[in-house]
Amino acid sequence: MKVLVIDDEELARKRVLYLLRQVPDVEVLGECSNGKSAIAEIDQKRPDLIFLDINMKDMNGFEVLQKITLSPKPIVIFVTAYDNYALKAFDVDAFDFLLKPFKDERFFRTIEKVRKISANEADQNFEKRIIELFNLYKTKSQKIEALDKLPIKQGNKTILLNPEDIMYITASGSYAEIFVENKKYVLRETLSNLCESLDSGKFIRIHRSSIVNLRHIKEIVHSEFSEIDARMNDNTLLRISKSYKKDFLEKVGI
């Protein structure tokens, strides 16, 4: 069984690779740290099985699966740090999931399940299943918007953060750093998903690694090289990249 491991967290990849070394008749084809390289590797190396992180910095796992051209499709084991994607309720033969942090026993049970799946079963209705899973994934963003709160786990508590209090959000590896006045929260989420969850009338993405709350921008700083930065109320300067510059200037009426 040929296996490819896809996760943007190095420690997570190492854990799966370590456990795979204990499984007989498995050939590890490699590992990928982002969605773009995963698409190329899947189509080129033609794995039988992939371990696929749902949340990656450049794209989510469902987008990866929608873009691959490999046929027949591989068996997929999703890896996620969240249990609220409803993957537990989506009971299909060709997919399984591991909820981080997972125990060794759970990993080996998943491998045993995979061994019983044929290539035809994995390929059957693959596109339909991926679309259905993606729709389930999207419900998380919808729930956040409906509640008008952003849940953030802090130890044994969950903070229900009011989006109005967010000044800006920056990407940090697999995590989002959410800045409010005199405090920072860390959430394992992509900026793309957060952007979809937040009010587009108040929040705008200005860079692949930052989102700002328009109400917390103090001033816009123009450089002599036609570059611009947003100075936030806490005096942090955030660069506005060329790809987002036009939308940003239209949003602020410049």
Side-chain angles (χ1 to χ4, degrees), residues 155-172:
N156 64 346
K157 300 182 295 184
T158 298
I159 306 296
L160 296 177
L161 186 63
N162 186 344
E164 296 282 347
D165 296 332
I166 299 172
M167 293 192 294
Y168 53 91
I169 306 170
T170 60
S172 177

Side-chain angles (χ1 to χ4, degrees), residues 58-150:
D58 59 337
M59 67 181 74
N60 65 60
F62 305 115
E63 291 172 318
V64 171
L65 295 178
Q66 287 174 321
K67 293 179 180 180
I68 62 174
T69 59
L70 174 65
S71 182
K73 303 299 184 184
I75 298 168
V76 182
I77 297 176
F78 291 105
V79 184
T80 175
Y82 300 99
D83 58 1
N84 52 358
Y85 287 127
L87 291 177
K88 292 178 181 177
F90 197 81
D91 187 17
V92 292
D93 291 333
F95 301 109
D96 203 346
F97 79 100
L98 291 170
L99 179 62
K100 298 177 183 177
F102 54 85
K103 295 182 178 180
D104 293 1
E105 295 78 10
R106 177 69 173 87
F107 178 89
F108 294 124
R109 282 204 310 271
T110 299
I111 291 293
E112 287 307 307
K113 176 180 176 181
V114 165
R115 290 190 184 280
K116 299 174 182 177
I117 301 172
S118 70
N120 288 335
E121 287 177 312
D123 196 50
Q124 188 177 15
N125 296 322
F126 185 92
E127 300 297 338
K128 179 182 177 182
R129 290 169 174 175
I130 291 302
I131 291 171
E132 289 173 343
L133 276 173
F134 183 68
N135 288 336
L136 287 174
Y137 171 82
K138 295 280 284 185
T139 61
K140 175 174 179 284
S141 295
Q142 294 168 353
K143 287 178 182 177
I144 291 174
E145 188 172 3
L147 290 171
D148 199 31
K149 297 287 185 180
L150 184 64

Side-chain angles (χ1 to χ4, degrees), residues 15-245:
R15 172 110 195 280
V16 172
L17 292 170
Y18 168 76
L19 293 172
L20 283 172
R21 286 197 290 269
Q22 303 176 45
V23 180
D25 304 319
V26 164
E27 178 188 353
V28 177
L29 299 177
E31 55 184 294
C32 302
S33 61
N34 58 68
K36 183 178 180 180
S37 64
I39 295 167
E41 290 287 281
I42 292 170
D43 286 334
Q44 180 181 350
K45 295 186 176 179
R46 307 180 66 84
D48 305 306
L49 168 67
I50 59 174
F51 286 84
L52 180 60
D53 186 17
I54 291 180
N55 282 313
M56 292 181 286
K57 191 173 182 180
D58 59 337
M59 67 181 74
N60 65 60
F62 305 115
E63 291 172 318
V64 171
L65 295 178
Q66 287 174 321
K67 293 179 180 180
I68 62 174
T69 59
L70 174 65
S71 182
K73 303 299 184 184
I75 298 168
V76 182
I77 297 176
F78 291 105
V79 184
T80 175
Y82 300 99
D83 58 1
N84 52 358
Y85 287 127
L87 291 177
K88 292 178 181 177
F90 197 81
D91 187 17
V92 292
D93 291 333
F95 301 109
D96 203 346
F97 79 100
L98 291 170
L99 179 62
K100 298 177 183 177
F102 54 85
K103 295 182 178 180
D104 293 1
E105 295 78 10
R106 177 69 173 87
F107 178 89
F108 294 124
R109 282 204 310 271
T110 299
I111 291 293
E112 287 307 307
K113 176 180 176 181
V114 165
R115 290 190 184 280
K116 299 174 182 177
I117 301 172
S118 70
N120 288 335
E121 287 177 312
D123 196 50
Q124 188 177 15
N125 296 322
F126 185 92
E127 300 297 338
K128 179 182 177 182
R129 290 169 174 175
I130 291 302
I131 291 171
E132 289 173 343
L133 276 173
F134 183 68
N135 288 336
L136 287 174
Y137 171 82
K138 295 280 284 185
T139 61
K140 175 174 179 284
S141 295
Q142 294 168 353
K143 287 178 182 177
I144 291 174
E145 188 172 3
L147 290 171
D148 199 31
K149 297 287 185 180
L150 184 64
I152 302 175
K153 288 186 179 180
Q154 298 278 293
N156 64 346
K157 300 182 295 184
T158 298
I159 306 296
L160 296 177
L161 186 63
N162 186 344
E164 296 282 347
D165 296 332
I166 299 172
M167 293 192 294
Y168 53 91
I169 306 170
T170 60
S172 177
S174 305
Y175 296 83
E177 295 183 335
I178 301 172
F179 292 83
V180 300
E181 188 175 358
N182 300 320
K183 195 169 182 64
K184 178 180 75 173
Y185 296 99
V186 178
L187 179 66
R188 194 179 192 284
E189 185 59 281
T190 65
L191 292 196
S192 294
N193 291 335
L194 286 173
C195 218
E196 291 177 3
S197 305
L198 297 167
D199 186 344
S200 61
K202 301 172 184 176
F203 290 86
I204 185 169
R205 194 163 186 172
I206 62 170
H207 194 278
R208 66 187 299 269
S209 60
S210 53
I211 299 170
V212 298
N213 186 338
L214 293 169
R215 296 185 179 185
H216 288 275
I217 297 176
K218 180 189 294 188
E219 60 187 11
I220 300 168
V221 181
H222 301 262
S223 78
E224 58 185 13
F225 304 106
S226 299
E227 294 178 338
I228 57 173
D229 298 286
R231 190 186 301 278
M232 308 307 294
N233 284 336
D234 64 353
N235 288 320
T236 297
L237 273 177
L238 297 173
R239 175 56 47 88
I240 301 163
S241 69
K242 291 181 180 179
S243 55
Y244 294 98
K245 183 177 178 180

